[in-house]
Amino acid sequence: MGFWKKRDGKWSLTLTGKEALAGILFIMPFLIGFFGIFLPMVIESIRFSISNMEVSDTGYVLSRAADNGLEHYLRALTIDPDFNLNLLTGIGQMVVQVPLVIIFSFFAANLINQKFRGRAVARSIFFFPVILTSGVILGLENSDLLVQTLSTTGMDADEFQSMFNIMMLLNKYTNLPMVVTEFLSNAINGIYDIVVASGVQILIFLAGLQSISPSLYEASSMEGATAWENFWKITFPMISPIILVNSVYTIIDLFTNETNEMMKNIKSTIFNDIKYGYGSAMAWIYFVCIAVILLIVGGLISRKVFYYDER
């Protein structure tokens, strides 16, 4: 079926054409922003990353960097120790925090999906971290005098001692391997960061849980299935596409968060040190690393994702 039809000698849009036109109008703001603002900035960033910039009275002049334009990339990967250290640290934190955020948000969504008094208030409380991570509130928190004072008066040593005590207790009473003990102790010490980073994921999980048809649970219960079996045979498979979405969202959120050391380093290099070429190269290396991690994580989780076909 085409987009146009001829009736009484006049051309008019068919239903398919009207739907296509509505879709184009709906995404038009995104297209204008992407091609008019975002894409030119991306191209300019690539130019900066392979060039050296000289500032003059009339503006700036770009000249090709050494090593066929790869000078800044080679410097970041082979010379700058802070870049590699921050990159590896960020990846390590992502490996630890992403599973914790997904597990916590999934548990919280299942909890507030139950019917009880004050459920609306409970949902608001779990969404409160999203407000805390907004630009204004986060800026106030980072500039708080008490936080700065604690961070400069031995707070790091206290945190280390606390984590060491937790690890000792876990080793004493559980006999767990050291790798598991360290993972649990880091999770306990980072519970605030986990809660703050879970607000949006909880809402997405909650929407996914509410989209599951109650008839599936009714039929399963009639067959004698327990609540535990319903969870693993119905809830978890039906929610698996949401797990993929939240995993991708959490990885991007952690890597691009304002508190991320890699992001701070890139911003400081570009805006404070006025090294646009080197900062742009750092940003593109960081982008490629994030893209590779997303491809790996997405490929691994996609193998276990179950898509329900209602037909």
Side-chain angles (χ1 to χ4, degrees), residues 216 238 306-311:
L216 296 176
M238 295 291 289
F306 170 78
Y307 293 101
Y308 177 69
D309 190 358
E310 297 182 353
R311 293 177 298 177

Side-chain angles (χ1 to χ4, degrees), residues 47-48 50-54 61-66 69 71-72:
R47 289 183 57 208
F48 282 150
I50 60 175
S51 306
N52 290 320
M53 185 180 68
E54 296 181 1
V61 178
L62 296 178
S63 59
R64 178 61 65 91
E71 175 187 359
H72 301 306

Side-chain angles (χ1 to χ4, degrees), residues 167-168 171 175-185:
M167 292 178 62
M168 292 294 293
N171 285 329
N175 293 323
L176 293 173
M178 181 59 67
V179 176
V180 178
T181 302
E182 184 177 356
F183 179 82
L184 293 176
S185 63

Side-chain angles (χ1 to χ4, degrees), residues 56-249:
S56 62
D57 296 337
T58 58
Y60 64 87
V61 178
L62 296 178
S63 59
R64 178 61 65 91
D67 298 318
N68 295 322
L70 300 178
E71 175 187 359
H72 301 306
Y73 292 94
L74 295 175
R75 176 186 173 187
L77 294 174
T78 60
I79 299 177
D80 190 349
D82 294 333
F83 177 82
N84 293 320
L85 178 61
N86 291 333
L87 181 60
L88 294 176
T89 302
I91 294 175
Q93 291 176 349
M94 181 274 300
V95 172
V96 174
Q97 290 185 359
V98 169
L100 295 175
V101 170
I102 297 299
I103 293 172
F104 173 80
S105 57
F106 188 34
F107 170 78
N110 277 277
L111 183 64
I112 61 179
N113 191 43
Q114 307 299 319
K115 294 182 179 180
F116 58 90
R117 287 187 176 181
R119 183 171 62 171
V121 177
R123 292 178 179 178
S124 301
I125 293 174
F126 276 104
F127 186 70
F128 193 66
V130 178
I131 303 175
L132 290 178
T133 55
S134 63
V136 176
I137 303 298
L138 185 62
L140 292 175
E141 180 183 355
N142 292 334
S143 61
D144 185 79
L145 180 60
L146 178 60
V147 174
Q148 295 180 1
T149 303
L150 290 175
S151 63
T152 57
T153 56
M155 189 63 179
D156 293 339
D158 293 339
E159 290 178 352
F160 176 79
Q161 182 65 34
S162 175
M163 183 178 68
F164 180 77
N165 292 336
I166 293 173
M167 292 178 62
M168 292 294 293
L169 291 174
L170 290 174
N171 285 329
K172 180 179 179 180
Y173 293 104
T174 62
N175 293 323
L176 293 173
M178 181 59 67
V179 176
V180 178
T181 302
E182 184 177 356
F183 179 82
L184 293 176
S185 63
N186 289 332
I188 295 172
N189 283 279
I191 188 65
Y192 173 77
D193 295 331
I194 294 171
V195 173
V196 168
S198 301
V200 174
Q201 292 88 328
I202 291 174
L203 291 183
I204 296 175
F205 272 130
L206 183 61
L209 290 172
Q210 293 180 346
S211 66
I212 301 176
S213 175
S215 61
L216 296 176
Y217 295 104
E218 294 174 358
S220 177
S221 299
M222 292 178 62
E223 294 294 331
T226 63
W228 184 251
E229 290 172 336
N230 284 336
F231 174 80
W232 286 109
K233 299 298 183 180
I234 298 178
T235 303
F236 192 79
M238 295 291 289
I239 211 71
S240 57
I242 308 299
I243 295 177
L244 175 61
V245 172
N246 274 338
S247 297
V248 173
Y249 173 84

